[in-house]
Amino acid sequence: MELHRRTLLALGGLAGLSALLPSCASQLPEPDVTAAGFGENATGTVRLWCRAATVVGVRQVVDAFNASQDAVTVEVTPVLDGQYVTKLATAIRGGNVPDIVDIDDINSMLFIYRDSFTDLTPLVQQLDFADRLNPGQLALATRDERHYGVPYIADNSMLFYNTELFERAGLDPVEHTQDFDGLLEAARAIGALEDGTYGWSVDGNAAGILGFVVQPHLWAADAPNIVGEVGEQRGAIVGNDALRRTFELYRTMWTEGLMPQANFSGDGARWGADFRDGTVGLFPGNFAVAALNASPEMRAKTGVVLLPGPDGGRATFAGGDNLCIPRGAANASGAWQFARFALDLPQQTGLPAGGYIPVRSDAATAQYREEFPLAVAPLDGIAEAYAPTTLAYNLLFNQQDSPWIAAFRRSVFDGDLDGALRQGQKDFDRILEQAQL
């Protein structure tokens, strides 16, 4: 499994996608999802495309589905993350589409706004657990209150802490992870232990990671850095008090030596290794990096909360994958039958074993809580899951030359906060204007 799923994504530009997917994509036939027996009496083969980064987890569910019945066989084709958008766009343009796609939820919007996916609203509404689905992920499959996909697996950002270091510093981790004052006090106390420990760690040269773990501080304060509806969006950088205070917090921790020097060049290749080694008190990351890949001893002294805002509140990045059925799918009925199976609790509650979080809040059963205690926070706080609905996410955040990483590094490492915010505002507005439909 890839440890840093959002770290190094550099997907093709919007201009290229627009050329591959003009509005004629909507000419592909849309399956009738209201037909009698749809998703129940399917037969034949279902062609599933999944991201290479998630293929292990996908194959587990596919194998279980294929073993559960003999009428439908799902065949999996993994596609490299960096090629996924272009390959799917090419398939749609050529009219030879897979029956169902496991797609990064952030990229769902690129195809939904080009009429490439099937409207699944009646099917989603019929789910007896629809109100327990991750709202942030579902929003990324929704346009004009119509659902063009369903959440499948979640990858949420959280704040992990080392309980042993907190105890040595004489601090209560719950009390000191509620706002920025508490975080800074804890980071200083742990950094003062003077035995090679640091209060905080983040890979400061990994664009995707910085989008994944820094933005939730803003959302917890209800201060997003993108505002407006798709088609009329702009950046909210200058004048965003929560953003300024977030960069100020990081700048303070950097200048006071509360973060390892390696954070300056950290590109995601060893993301979370210092936390798993027990030398970092507070680590914003995901379940796979902080917990799944840690030793049993380290997991036993790890706690977790959602990321706080400057003055409180909590938020988490609603990362993960959605399942969508392209228009023109040859076996859409079989595709939905598989999707419904993948959302059932037996499949969902096993996801943390592969490094992912369920997309249903009711997956947090007593047995689940006992088996995966470090994967409970995103389910208890599922209402706080969010990610921006925009066609420009990769350009704004994931690419290594994105304005988000540029603003972060200029503020935190160079100390030019005002200049970083002014330039960030210009760059966000420019990219968002270019990305409008």
Side-chain angles (χ1 to χ4, degrees):
M1 173 187 170
E2 185 177 85
L3 291 183
H4 47 294
R5 298 173 54 243
R6 294 186 170 274
T7 306
L8 303 173
L9 294 177
L11 301 175
L14 287 167
L17 182 62
S18 296
L20 286 169
L21 279 183
S23 58
C24 66
S26 62
Q27 294 177 2
L28 290 175
E30 185 173 30
D32 181 6
V33 302
T34 64
F38 185 91
E40 298 175 359
N41 304 314
T43 59
T45 299
V46 169
R47 296 183 299 157
L48 164 65
W49 282 14
C50 74
R51 299 194 301 119
T54 59
V55 65
V56 174
V58 170
R59 284 196 189 279
Q60 290 176 344
V61 177
V62 167
D63 289 346
F65 175 79
N66 287 341
S68 70
Q69 45 75 55
D70 57 9
V72 178
T73 300
V74 176
E75 296 180 350
V76 179
T77 299
V79 180
L80 293 176
D81 286 47
Q83 300 175 7
Y84 200 105
V85 169
T86 301
K87 288 196 69 170
L88 181 56
T90 301
I92 292 170
R93 175 148 187 164
N96 184 21
V97 299
D99 297 302
I100 188 168
V101 293
D102 160 65
I103 185 170
D104 190 317
D105 57 9
I106 285 292
N107 290 325
S108 302
M109 283 287 116
L110 298 176
F111 295 92
I112 291 170
Y113 274 79
R114 286 169 176 82
D115 298 320
S116 300
F117 289 158
T118 299
D119 185 347
L120 304 177
T121 305
L123 302 175
V124 176
Q125 291 175 340
Q126 289 171 11
L127 297 173
D128 58 9
F129 51 85
D131 60 342
R132 280 155 272 170
L133 290 172
N134 185 304
Q137 282 185 262
L138 186 59
L140 294 175
T142 302
R143 181 185 183 186
D144 297 332
E145 300 184 357
R146 307 298 294 179
H147 305 307
Y148 296 87
V150 288
Y152 168 41
I153 57 176
D155 182 18
N156 301 111
S157 54
M158 296 173 266
L159 182 60
F160 296 87
Y161 55 85
N162 184 316
T163 58
E164 182 179 87
L165 294 181
F166 267 84
E167 183 176 352
R168 287 176 55 195
L171 300 176
D172 179 351
V174 175
E175 178 183 344
H176 284 81
T177 56
Q178 294 182 4
D179 55 31
F180 282 8
D181 286 344
L183 295 182
L184 185 56
E185 182 179 350
R188 284 169 170 163
I190 292 171
L193 295 176
E194 296 183 352
D195 55 356
T197 59
Y198 293 91
W200 191 278
S201 181
V202 71
D203 275 21
N205 198 34
I209 287 174
L210 295 178
F212 186 58
V213 303
V214 178
Q215 288 189 96
H217 293 303
L218 316 184
W219 305 334
D222 196 22
N225 48 10
I226 300 173
V227 294
E229 299 296 323
V230 172
E232 300 179 348
Q233 290 182 319
R234 60 180 177 81
I237 308 300
V238 171
N240 188 325
D241 181 66
L243 174 54
R244 172 178 286 274
R245 292 174 64 185
T246 297
F247 283 174
E248 286 176 341
L249 173 67
Y250 269 93
R251 174 63 179 172
T252 299
M253 291 192 292
W254 177 251
T255 57
E256 293 186 10
L258 306 179
M259 297 162 56
Q261 286 293 313
N263 281 178
F264 179 85
S265 58
D267 61 2
R270 290 181 49 78
W271 187 30
D274 47 8
F275 180 78
R276 295 191 301 272
D277 288 341
T279 61
V280 170
L282 291 156
F283 170 69
N286 67 4
F287 174 77
V289 169
L292 184 69
N293 295 289
S295 66
E297 293 77 16
M298 185 61 211
R299 283 197 294 271
K301 56 184 179 183
T302 296
V304 63
V305 294
L306 299 187
L307 289 151
D311 298 311
R314 299 281 184 191
T316 176
F317 195 109
D321 288 6
N322 288 335
L323 290 176
C324 302
I325 299 176
R327 286 177 174 237
N331 194 353
S333 179
W336 179 251
Q337 189 169 325
F338 168 76
R340 182 64 182 79
F341 178 88
L343 289 174
D344 284 342
L345 282 180
Q347 284 66 250
Q348 287 288 305
T349 55
L351 287 175
Y356 299 100
I357 305 296
V359 299
R360 294 176 52 171
S361 60
D362 56 344
T365 62
Q367 180 179 347
Y368 178 96
R369 292 172 183 275
E370 181 178 354
E371 187 173 0
F372 304 113
L374 298 178
V376 173
L379 298 182
D380 285 346
I382 202 167
E384 312 306 328
Y386 176 79
T389 299
T390 179
L391 303 182
Y393 189 88
N394 290 303
L395 297 174
L396 292 170
F397 300 100
N398 276 338
Q399 295 188 174
Q400 199 58 26
D401 61 351
S402 69
W404 182 249
I405 187 175
F408 179 91
R409 291 183 65 82
R410 187 171 175 179
S411 298
V412 175
F413 299 131
D414 298 340
D416 183 11
L417 177 58
D418 289 333
L421 296 179
R422 286 195 299 270
Q423 187 61 49
Q425 183 70 56
K426 294 177 182 177
D427 291 341
F428 266 64
D429 288 345
R430 171 179 53 82
I431 291 173
L432 286 167
E433 182 177 359
Q434 294 171 351
Q436 310 301 357
L437 290 172

